[in-house]
């Protein structure tokens, strides 16, 4: 099922925060859906992030909406969740407006600068931790130290559903990304099992929380023998949980600094694994 939002007129938000109306129509939402459907649309005009609401003409229902920076790019995107009871609004013109009263955010961040961990909560319940600082479990070899991955990721009952530093594969680390076979200027390295290359966090690009989603972006890099060989952009967008689960969008971008980096999946026995991985 393809989801799309058709833009029928523009949105302009002045520096002072005043907004002109913007109208959308939602297409492709299942009429008999059982869970909420996350919907995203680019906004082609200059706008500032913030909380909004969508309302059909002649209908009292209000859909919370949120403008957030586009993942990994320029501009902003409009995010909302269409609940099963609101699927009949598909195809109707929806007016975007600022709510009369402030809208409470469902999410909040807590940063632990000592441990190098960013905690994300939804209505007081843990959602995930992003490990931006170097991590090393007691008793694990020094060469397994790492950063830039998500762990723990929590289930709907608050249970951790990922693992870190498992004894059978010390290099496995929650939700991470890497390749076991990489070549840079004739040197073989591997982000997958932390051999000869290191991921490092540079800075936070941005963080957003609101009634619809939470989002954070970071800049970092890959280092070989202390030399920065690639830039890394990491973006997470986290949607509200429902009785079935939670949607999580992840955007990753890597740019070689000067010389090309060749990446492969695991060549041994043609296993082919590599890239994003969840332990």
């Amino acid at each position: 099922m393809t989801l799309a939002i058709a833009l029928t007129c523009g949105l302009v938000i002045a520096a002072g925060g005043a907004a002109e109306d913007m109208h959308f129509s939602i297409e492709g939402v299942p009429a008999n859906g059982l869970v909420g459907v996350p919907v995203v649309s680019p906004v082609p005009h200059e706008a500032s992030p913030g909380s909004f609401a969508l309302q059909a003409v002649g209908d009292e229902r209000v859909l919370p909406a949120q403008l957030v920076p586009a993942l990994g790019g320029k501009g902003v995107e409009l995010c909302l969740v269409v609940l099963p009871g609101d699927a009949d609004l598909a195809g109707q013109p929806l007016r975007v407006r600022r709510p009369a009263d402030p809208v409470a955010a469902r999410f909040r961040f807590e940063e632990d600068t000592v441990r190098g961990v960013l905690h994300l909560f939804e209505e007081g319940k843990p959602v995930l931790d992003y490990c931006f600082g170097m991590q090393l479990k007691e008793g694990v070899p020094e060469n397994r130290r790492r950063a830039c991955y998500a762990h723990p990721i929590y289930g709907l009952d608050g249970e951790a559903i990922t693992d870190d530093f498992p004894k059978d594969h010390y290099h496995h680390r929650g939700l991470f990304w890497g390749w076991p076979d990489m070549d840079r200027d004739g040197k073989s390295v591997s982000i997958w099992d932390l051999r000869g290359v290191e991921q490092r966090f540079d800075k936070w690009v941005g963080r957003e929380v609101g009634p619809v989603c939470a989002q954070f972006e970071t800049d970092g890099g890959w280092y070989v023998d202390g030399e920065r060989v690639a830039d890394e952009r990491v973006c997470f967008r986290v949607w509200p949980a429902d009785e079935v689960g939670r949607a999580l969008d992840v955007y990753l971008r890597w740019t070689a600094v000067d010389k090309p980096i060749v990446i492969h999946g695991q060549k041994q026995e043609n296993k082919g694994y590599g890239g994003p991985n969840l332990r």
Side-chain angles (χ1 to χ4, degrees), residues 9-278:
C9 71
L11 169 69
V12 177
I13 298 182
E20 297 179 6
D21 282 349
M22 178 171 59
H23 291 77
F24 286 89
S25 64
I26 303 173
E27 301 174 358
V29 177
N32 58 348
L34 301 178
V35 297
V37 178
V39 180
V40 180
S41 172
V43 176
H45 298 279
E46 183 178 352
S48 300
S51 298
F52 288 81
L54 274 70
Q55 188 169 17
V57 177
D59 195 308
E60 295 183 354
R61 285 175 293 175
V62 174
L63 302 181
Q66 189 177 340
L67 282 178
V68 295
L71 286 180
K74 297 180 179 180
V76 296
E77 294 175 327
L78 182 73
C79 297
L80 66 147
V81 176
V82 180
L83 299 175
D86 297 319
D88 61 309
L89 294 177
Q92 299 187 41
L94 302 174
R95 182 171 63 90
V96 179
R97 60 175 176 80
R98 285 191 182 274
D101 300 316
V103 179
R106 296 179 62 95
F107 299 90
R108 65 179 173 87
F109 289 115
E110 288 185 6
E111 182 176 346
D112 185 337
T113 56
V114 175
R115 293 181 54 218
V117 176
L118 180 69
H119 307 285
L120 175 61
F121 299 87
E122 181 188 3
E123 297 183 333
K125 297 181 179 180
V127 176
L128 62 80
D129 289 354
Y130 184 72
C131 300
F132 63 92
M134 288 294 177
Q135 310 291 315
L136 185 66
K137 186 177 181 179
E138 184 177 356
V140 175
E142 172 64 29
N143 64 3
R144 303 295 91 182
R145 188 182 296 272
R146 68 292 205 99
C148 305
Y149 63 100
H151 172 79
I153 297 175
Y154 294 94
L156 301 184
D157 295 322
E159 75 283 16
I161 61 174
T162 56
D163 198 1
D164 199 10
F165 297 101
K167 291 184 178 180
D168 59 341
H169 293 82
Y170 277 145
H171 56 280
H172 285 185
R173 47 199 189 275
L175 175 58
F176 71 101
W177 38 93
W179 290 265
D181 191 345
M182 305 169 60
D183 182 276
R184 197 265 181 180
D185 197 26
K187 181 171 183 175
S188 176
V189 297
S190 169
I191 281 185
W192 180 271
D193 57 0
L194 309 166
R195 174 174 48 82
V197 60
E198 185 178 78
Q199 288 170 284
R200 298 181 191 173
F201 167 86
D202 287 342
K203 65 179 181 180
W204 299 106
V205 177
R207 299 182 201 168
E208 301 286 338
V209 293
V212 175
C213 63
Q215 182 170 308
F216 64 87
E217 299 190 37
T218 74
D219 274 342
W222 297 355
Y223 289 79
V224 175
D225 297 330
E227 176 188 359
R228 189 183 184 102
V229 299
D231 299 327
E232 179 175 77
R233 170 65 62 91
V234 176
C235 313
F236 275 64
R237 179 178 292 159
V238 182
W239 298 85
D242 56 28
E243 64 272 16
V244 175
R246 178 194 308 281
L248 174 64
D249 298 333
V250 181
Y251 172 94
L252 304 168
R253 184 178 71 218
W254 305 278
T255 306
V257 171
D258 52 4
K259 300 176 182 179
I261 301 173
V262 181
I263 58 177
H264 299 278
Q266 175 58 270
K267 294 180 179 179
Q268 183 182 4
E269 299 178 2
N270 292 320
K271 293 179 179 179
Y273 61 77
N277 184 71
L278 185 69

Side-chain angles (χ1 to χ4, degrees), residues 2-17:
T2 300
L3 301 178
I5 295 183
L7 181 65
T8 58
C9 71
L11 169 69
V12 177
I13 298 182

